[in-house]
Amino acid sequence: MNGNFYLDLQEVMESADSAEVVSLFFTMFGKAVIIDTRSFGDQGPLVQIMPMVASPRERLRSLRPAFPRVNTLTVIPWPRYVNSLVTLGVWDRIVRRLADSGHDEAVVDCASVLDELRRLEKAELGAVVSGQNYYTVWSSNH
């Protein structure tokens, strides 16, 4: 899974530093991490796992309706293992940006979101090995 997929890490890092909303999505288990760095009133940034959606427009509709309109949404397909977010420094970059905003709750949410992503990935890989929800396309019927 970490094989032949191109990933522009510099572009990902720049998005983590500047986009108002980042959607990192994992096609392997059909979820996306939404990092909404905006604050409005007494509500701070949001870090949450959500189902994948069909389009960026649909993602924008799924965000916090009471907030002002999103100016920048970056959608990033993540073709690698969840832990590569950490090893490549992407997750630390996100956490640092949220910490710099002064909203400690969002930083705490990052830790639980990362744990949940790892759990979802492990469950999906277990399903692959056990054959749950998967089937053989070609069999060796000799």
Side-chain angles (χ1 to χ4, degrees), residues 49 51 57 62 69 77 115:
I49 297 174
R57 182 171 298 212
S62 73
R69 186 174 175 211
D115 287 344

Side-chain angles (χ1 to χ4, degrees), residues 55-84:
S55 69
R57 182 171 298 212
E58 190 176 342
R59 175 56 66 212
L60 288 172
R61 284 195 301 265
S62 73
L63 294 175
R64 305 182 280 183
F67 273 54
R69 186 174 175 211
V70 174
N71 290 318
T72 56
L73 166 68
T74 299
V75 178
I76 303 168
W78 196 259
R80 297 173 179 241
Y81 290 110
V82 169
N83 206 51
S84 66

Side-chain angles (χ1 to χ4, degrees), residues 6-127:
Y6 177 73
L7 181 66
D8 186 339
L9 190 57
Q10 184 62 36
E11 192 172 328
V12 170
M13 294 297 201
E14 288 170 7
S15 294
D17 287 342
S18 63
E20 280 184 316
V21 178
V22 175
S23 175
L24 278 165
F25 66 92
F26 302 84
T27 56
M28 180 164 108
F29 48 89
K31 299 291 183 185
V33 176
I34 307 305
I35 301 112
D36 185 344
T37 64
R38 301 172 301 153
S39 297
F40 185 67
D42 62 346
Q43 293 186 344
L46 172 80
V47 180
Q48 184 177 357
I49 297 174
M50 300 176 108
M52 282 179 43
V53 294
S55 69
R57 182 171 298 212
E58 190 176 342
R59 175 56 66 212
L60 288 172
R61 284 195 301 265
S62 73
L63 294 175
R64 305 182 280 183
F67 273 54
R69 186 174 175 211
V70 174
N71 290 318
T72 56
L73 166 68
T74 299
V75 178
I76 303 168
W78 196 259
R80 297 173 179 241
Y81 290 110
V82 169
N83 206 51
S84 66
L85 286 168
V86 175
T87 59
L88 293 172
V90 174
W91 198 254
D92 183 56
R93 195 82 159 245
I94 291 166
V95 171
R96 197 170 342 123
R97 181 170 180 202
L98 294 170
D100 289 347
S101 76
H103 294 277
D104 295 334
E105 193 172 310
V107 174
V108 171
D109 290 344
C110 283
S112 61
V113 162
L114 185 60
D115 287 344
E116 179 64 8
L117 286 173
R118 287 174 171 150
R119 188 197 67 72
L120 289 166
E121 180 180 73
K122 184 177 180 180
E124 191 63 27
L125 290 172

